[in-house]
Amino acid sequence: MSSAAQAPAARPDPTAIVRLSTAYWESQTLLTANRLRLFDALADGARSADEVAAALQLDARSTALFLRACAGLGFLVERDGRFENAPLAATFLVSRSPAYMGNVIRYSDQLYATWGQLEGALRSGQPALPAETYLGDDPARTRGFVIAMHERALGIARALVPLLDLSGRRAMLDVGGGPGTYSVLLTERFPGLESEVLELPGVAAVARELVAAAGASERVSLRDGDYHSADFGTGKDVVLMSGMFHRESAAACRGLVERAVACLEPGGLLVVSDVFTDEGGTQPAFATLFGLNMMLTAPDGGVHADAEVMRWMKDAGLRELRTLPLPPPMPHRVVMGVKP
Ligand SMILES: C[S@@+](CC[C@H](N)C(=O)[O-])C[C@H]1O[C@@H](n2cnc3c(N)ncnc32)[C@H](O)[C@@H]1O
């Protein structure tokens, strides 16, 4: 018998199982604190649990337990029975902070119940949340979705915009451009660049407000349309497809790449930004879970590998192909190609 056969198999450490089986405790604590606007209630200084309970109309005993849990998670600091925001909460969870992430978190909060229907979605093959709900049919949810995308894009843009050199380029098509945030920031950074955002009507209506509020309506226009059927036009020198491949099948993505290439001038650039897996599809874990999140919320939702996007671009005739990860904590990667 070989020595390898004799060696007892090392017993795996079950810590991850224990941790993951209760990870939703942490999520729900953060989501609830954000929903209650707890961090705003502490934005002007420390308060006792009784004061917080009175301000937020909560039960005093329960609130004391809740605040201690928030402190345990690092969101609050407790001193002499009074609680204040820790730097993490003060920076990202207070609504007057420029780096506020509360609307993105609220969108996750809305999907908490949807994730509870994972088993049903696995059986039916249908999303637990009909995509139309947040893409126009329910105005309040649509607005919440667009504002969350805007807030998230503002964060991601700090890494994405410096990666893209669009100097000298004039005409961009932002397919499924959502709130138009990237179009606003890129046209601001590269004078002379104008962008057309192609979006579903319910989303475009909210985006028009955001673009106007940014003072960018002169250089960023919104066109109502379905990117599956809308004419992409001609004469573009940049096409941006950000955060939409995860809603689409591989065949649909391939078709979108081909239509993007057709509307580009020679020398034109296609930029595809999204959460992608490595080749093989099982890593990083966040990307695989993101694929489930999209499965739960869009009929063809999932996740693709960036290597696959590069193959679609190559097959469509693009050259100078590159894929770049955005820096942590952003899980996004950017795949780019140039039309010869
Ligand atoms: C995750 S969001 C990304 C938005 C934006 N590009 C960004 O990265 O912040 C996907 C966008 O695709 C849009 N979308 C989905 N299906 C569409 C379709 N058939 N035609 C046009 N837009 C669509 C959605 O309304 C949504 O704004």
PDB file of all heavy atoms in Angstrom, residues 114 117 126-135 137 141 247 296-299:
ATOM      1  N   THR A 114     -36.408  38.307  -2.440  1.00  0.00           N
ATOM      2  CA  THR A 114     -36.249  37.600  -3.717  1.00  0.00           C
ATOM      3  C   THR A 114     -35.270  36.442  -3.555  1.00  0.00           C
ATOM      4  O   THR A 114     -35.492  35.339  -4.061  1.00  0.00           O
ATOM      5  CB  THR A 114     -35.742  38.596  -4.783  1.00  0.00           C
ATOM      6  OG1 THR A 114     -36.674  39.678  -4.854  1.00  0.00           O
ATOM      7  CG2 THR A 114     -35.601  37.944  -6.141  1.00  0.00           C
ATOM      8  N   GLN A 117     -36.412  33.168  -2.417  1.00  0.00           N
ATOM      9  CA  GLN A 117     -37.129  32.330  -3.389  1.00  0.00           C
ATOM     10  C   GLN A 117     -36.170  31.606  -4.325  1.00  0.00           C
ATOM     11  O   GLN A 117     -36.544  31.175  -5.421  1.00  0.00           O
ATOM     12  CB  GLN A 117     -38.092  33.196  -4.193  1.00  0.00           C
ATOM     13  CG  GLN A 117     -39.163  33.846  -3.312  1.00  0.00           C
ATOM     14  CD  GLN A 117     -39.948  34.885  -4.087  1.00  0.00           C
ATOM     15  OE1 GLN A 117     -40.483  34.607  -5.138  1.00  0.00           O
ATOM     16  NE2 GLN A 117     -40.000  36.092  -3.558  1.00  0.00           N
ATOM     17  N   GLN A 126     -37.485  30.390 -13.780  1.00  0.00           N
ATOM     18  CA  GLN A 126     -37.994  31.754 -13.994  1.00  0.00           C
ATOM     19  C   GLN A 126     -37.462  32.671 -12.903  1.00  0.00           C
ATOM     20  O   GLN A 126     -37.299  32.235 -11.760  1.00  0.00           O
ATOM     21  CB  GLN A 126     -39.528  31.768 -13.920  1.00  0.00           C
ATOM     22  CG  GLN A 126     -40.217  30.903 -14.950  1.00  0.00           C
ATOM     23  CD  GLN A 126     -39.840  31.302 -16.362  1.00  0.00           C
ATOM     24  OE1 GLN A 126     -39.800  32.489 -16.673  1.00  0.00           O
ATOM     25  NE2 GLN A 126     -39.526  30.323 -17.194  1.00  0.00           N
ATOM     26  N   PRO A 127     -37.226  33.953 -13.238  1.00  0.00           N
ATOM     27  CA  PRO A 127     -36.785  34.871 -12.184  1.00  0.00           C
ATOM     28  C   PRO A 127     -37.857  35.018 -11.112  1.00  0.00           C
ATOM     29  O   PRO A 127     -39.050  35.007 -11.425  1.00  0.00           O
ATOM     30  CB  PRO A 127     -36.552  36.193 -12.920  1.00  0.00           C
ATOM     31  CG  PRO A 127     -37.182  36.064 -14.246  1.00  0.00           C
ATOM     32  CD  PRO A 127     -37.340  34.604 -14.552  1.00  0.00           C
ATOM     33  N   ALA A 128     -37.425  35.142  -9.864  1.00  0.00           N
ATOM     34  CA  ALA A 128     -38.378  35.317  -8.766  1.00  0.00           C
ATOM     35  C   ALA A 128     -38.985  36.712  -8.800  1.00  0.00           C
ATOM     36  O   ALA A 128     -40.089  36.930  -8.329  1.00  0.00           O
ATOM     37  CB  ALA A 128     -37.668  35.075  -7.432  1.00  0.00           C
ATOM     38  N   LEU A 129     -38.230  37.677  -9.341  1.00  0.00           N
ATOM     39  CA  LEU A 129     -38.719  39.057  -9.441  1.00  0.00           C
ATOM     40  C   LEU A 129     -38.814  39.407 -10.922  1.00  0.00           C
ATOM     41  O   LEU A 129     -37.784  39.447 -11.611  1.00  0.00           O
ATOM     42  CB  LEU A 129     -37.726  40.010  -8.745  1.00  0.00           C
ATOM     43  CG  LEU A 129     -38.075  41.490  -8.834  1.00  0.00           C
ATOM     44  CD1 LEU A 129     -39.275  41.807  -7.956  1.00  0.00           C
ATOM     45  CD2 LEU A 129     -36.884  42.340  -8.396  1.00  0.00           C
ATOM     46  N   PRO A 130     -40.020  39.643 -11.447  1.00  0.00           N
ATOM     47  CA  PRO A 130     -40.121  40.014 -12.861  1.00  0.00           C
ATOM     48  C   PRO A 130     -39.338  41.305 -13.127  1.00  0.00           C
ATOM     49  O   PRO A 130     -39.517  42.295 -12.411  1.00  0.00           O
ATOM     50  CB  PRO A 130     -41.619  40.210 -13.084  1.00  0.00           C
ATOM     51  CG  PRO A 130     -42.287  39.558 -11.917  1.00  0.00           C
ATOM     52  CD  PRO A 130     -41.314  39.635 -10.773  1.00  0.00           C
ATOM     53  N   ALA A 131     -38.476  41.285 -14.141  1.00  0.00           N
ATOM     54  CA  ALA A 131     -37.598  42.432 -14.392  1.00  0.00           C
ATOM     55  C   ALA A 131     -38.394  43.700 -14.685  1.00  0.00           C
ATOM     56  O   ALA A 131     -37.968  44.803 -14.335  1.00  0.00           O
ATOM     57  CB  ALA A 131     -36.668  42.111 -15.562  1.00  0.00           C
ATOM     58  N   GLU A 132     -39.587  43.534 -15.288  1.00  0.00           N
ATOM     59  CA  GLU A 132     -40.384  44.727 -15.647  1.00  0.00           C
ATOM     60  C   GLU A 132     -40.701  45.559 -14.410  1.00  0.00           C
ATOM     61  O   GLU A 132     -40.872  46.776 -14.488  1.00  0.00           O
ATOM     62  CB  GLU A 132     -41.724  44.330 -16.306  1.00  0.00           C
ATOM     63  CG  GLU A 132     -41.602  43.511 -17.578  1.00  0.00           C
ATOM     64  CD  GLU A 132     -41.207  42.066 -17.331  1.00  0.00           C
ATOM     65  OE1 GLU A 132     -41.572  41.518 -16.269  1.00  0.00           O
ATOM     66  OE2 GLU A 132     -40.502  41.493 -18.175  1.00  0.00           O
ATOM     67  N   THR A 133     -40.783  44.892 -13.241  1.00  0.00           N
ATOM     68  CA  THR A 133     -41.134  45.605 -12.010  1.00  0.00           C
ATOM     69  C   THR A 133     -40.223  46.807 -11.806  1.00  0.00           C
ATOM     70  O   THR A 133     -40.682  47.907 -11.492  1.00  0.00           O
ATOM     71  CB  THR A 133     -40.957  44.667 -10.786  1.00  0.00           C
ATOM     72  OG1 THR A 133     -41.440  43.400 -11.125  1.00  0.00           O
ATOM     73  CG2 THR A 133     -41.652  45.191  -9.555  1.00  0.00           C
ATOM     74  N   TYR A 134     -38.915  46.579 -11.958  1.00  0.00           N
ATOM     75  CA  TYR A 134     -37.981  47.671 -11.660  1.00  0.00           C
ATOM     76  C   TYR A 134     -37.448  48.340 -12.926  1.00  0.00           C
ATOM     77  O   TYR A 134     -36.602  49.207 -12.869  1.00  0.00           O
ATOM     78  CB  TYR A 134     -36.821  47.154 -10.784  1.00  0.00           C
ATOM     79  CG  TYR A 134     -36.002  46.050 -11.412  1.00  0.00           C
ATOM     80  CD1 TYR A 134     -34.870  46.339 -12.157  1.00  0.00           C
ATOM     81  CD2 TYR A 134     -36.370  44.717 -11.272  1.00  0.00           C
ATOM     82  CE1 TYR A 134     -34.133  45.335 -12.747  1.00  0.00           C
ATOM     83  CE2 TYR A 134     -35.640  43.712 -11.849  1.00  0.00           C
ATOM     84  CZ  TYR A 134     -34.526  44.019 -12.594  1.00  0.00           C
ATOM     85  OH  TYR A 134     -33.804  43.026 -13.192  1.00  0.00           O
ATOM     86  N   LEU A 135     -37.966  47.915 -14.104  1.00  0.00           N
ATOM     87  CA  LEU A 135     -37.537  48.555 -15.357  1.00  0.00           C
ATOM     88  C   LEU A 135     -38.685  49.342 -15.992  1.00  0.00           C
ATOM     89  O   LEU A 135     -38.751  49.471 -17.203  1.00  0.00           O
ATOM     90  CB  LEU A 135     -37.014  47.505 -16.344  1.00  0.00           C
ATOM     91  CG  LEU A 135     -35.743  46.752 -15.931  1.00  0.00           C
ATOM     92  CD1 LEU A 135     -35.283  45.808 -17.033  1.00  0.00           C
ATOM     93  CD2 LEU A 135     -34.617  47.718 -15.578  1.00  0.00           C
ATOM     94  N   ASP A 137     -42.415  49.229 -14.909  1.00  0.00           N
ATOM     95  CA  ASP A 137     -43.814  48.969 -14.517  1.00  0.00           C
ATOM     96  C   ASP A 137     -44.170  49.584 -13.169  1.00  0.00           C
ATOM     97  O   ASP A 137     -45.253  50.132 -12.997  1.00  0.00           O
ATOM     98  CB  ASP A 137     -44.080  47.451 -14.453  1.00  0.00           C
ATOM     99  CG  ASP A 137     -44.306  46.868 -15.829  1.00  0.00           C
ATOM    100  OD1 ASP A 137     -44.125  47.622 -16.819  1.00  0.00           O
ATOM    101  OD2 ASP A 137     -44.632  45.675 -15.930  1.00  0.00           O
ATOM    102  N   ARG A 141     -40.245  51.561  -7.662  1.00  0.00           N
ATOM    103  CA  ARG A 141     -39.108  50.625  -7.697  1.00  0.00           C
ATOM    104  C   ARG A 141     -38.152  50.967  -8.823  1.00  0.00           C
ATOM    105  O   ARG A 141     -36.935  50.826  -8.695  1.00  0.00           O
ATOM    106  CB  ARG A 141     -39.616  49.191  -7.852  1.00  0.00           C
ATOM    107  CG  ARG A 141     -39.777  48.545  -6.492  1.00  0.00           C
ATOM    108  CD  ARG A 141     -39.953  47.084  -6.596  1.00  0.00           C
ATOM    109  NE  ARG A 141     -38.733  46.385  -6.236  1.00  0.00           N
ATOM    110  CZ  ARG A 141     -38.717  45.198  -5.657  1.00  0.00           C
ATOM    111  NH1 ARG A 141     -39.830  44.586  -5.369  1.00  0.00           N
ATOM    112  NH2 ARG A 141     -37.574  44.607  -5.374  1.00  0.00           N
ATOM    113  N   ARG A 247     -27.434  40.560 -18.057  1.00  0.00           N
ATOM    114  CA  ARG A 247     -28.883  40.355 -18.236  1.00  0.00           C
ATOM    115  C   ARG A 247     -29.173  39.472 -19.441  1.00  0.00           C
ATOM    116  O   ARG A 247     -30.325  39.136 -19.700  1.00  0.00           O
ATOM    117  CB  ARG A 247     -29.588  41.694 -18.500  1.00  0.00           C
ATOM    118  CG  ARG A 247     -29.255  42.822 -17.571  1.00  0.00           C
ATOM    119  CD  ARG A 247     -30.167  43.998 -17.858  1.00  0.00           C
ATOM    120  NE  ARG A 247     -31.528  43.614 -17.601  1.00  0.00           N
ATOM    121  CZ  ARG A 247     -32.078  43.590 -16.391  1.00  0.00           C
ATOM    122  NH1 ARG A 247     -31.380  43.966 -15.347  1.00  0.00           N
ATOM    123  NH2 ARG A 247     -33.312  43.202 -16.225  1.00  0.00           N
ATOM    124  N   LEU A 296     -32.113  35.488 -10.608  1.00  0.00           N
ATOM    125  CA  LEU A 296     -33.315  35.734  -9.811  1.00  0.00           C
ATOM    126  C   LEU A 296     -34.091  36.966 -10.276  1.00  0.00           C
ATOM    127  O   LEU A 296     -35.233  37.154  -9.878  1.00  0.00           O
ATOM    128  CB  LEU A 296     -32.927  35.929  -8.337  1.00  0.00           C
ATOM    129  CG  LEU A 296     -32.564  34.656  -7.573  1.00  0.00           C
ATOM    130  CD1 LEU A 296     -31.813  34.983  -6.295  1.00  0.00           C
ATOM    131  CD2 LEU A 296     -33.827  33.865  -7.251  1.00  0.00           C
ATOM    132  N   THR A 297     -33.441  37.822 -11.072  1.00  0.00           N
ATOM    133  CA  THR A 297     -34.066  39.117 -11.375  1.00  0.00           C
ATOM    134  C   THR A 297     -34.198  39.426 -12.866  1.00  0.00           C
ATOM    135  O   THR A 297     -34.694  40.499 -13.218  1.00  0.00           O
ATOM    136  CB  THR A 297     -33.271  40.256 -10.699  1.00  0.00           C
ATOM    137  OG1 THR A 297     -31.894  40.175 -11.102  1.00  0.00           O
ATOM    138  CG2 THR A 297     -33.336  40.170  -9.180  1.00  0.00           C
ATOM    139  N   ALA A 298     -33.740  38.542 -13.737  1.00  0.00           N
ATOM    140  CA  ALA A 298     -33.879  38.792 -15.181  1.00  0.00           C
ATOM    141  C   ALA A 298     -34.008  37.443 -15.903  1.00  0.00           C
ATOM    142  O   ALA A 298     -33.306  36.491 -15.539  1.00  0.00           O
ATOM    143  CB  ALA A 298     -32.666  39.565 -15.711  1.00  0.00           C
ATOM    144  N   PRO A 299     -34.866  37.357 -16.915  1.00  0.00           N
ATOM    145  CA  PRO A 299     -35.156  36.059 -17.546  1.00  0.00           C
ATOM    146  C   PRO A 299     -33.915  35.355 -18.085  1.00  0.00           C
ATOM    147  O   PRO A 299     -33.802  34.138 -17.990  1.00  0.00           O
ATOM    148  CB  PRO A 299     -36.116  36.408 -18.682  1.00  0.00           C
ATOM    149  CG  PRO A 299     -36.627  37.766 -18.387  1.00  0.00           C
ATOM    150  CD  PRO A 299     -35.659  38.447 -17.482  1.00  0.00           C
TER     151      PRO A 299
END
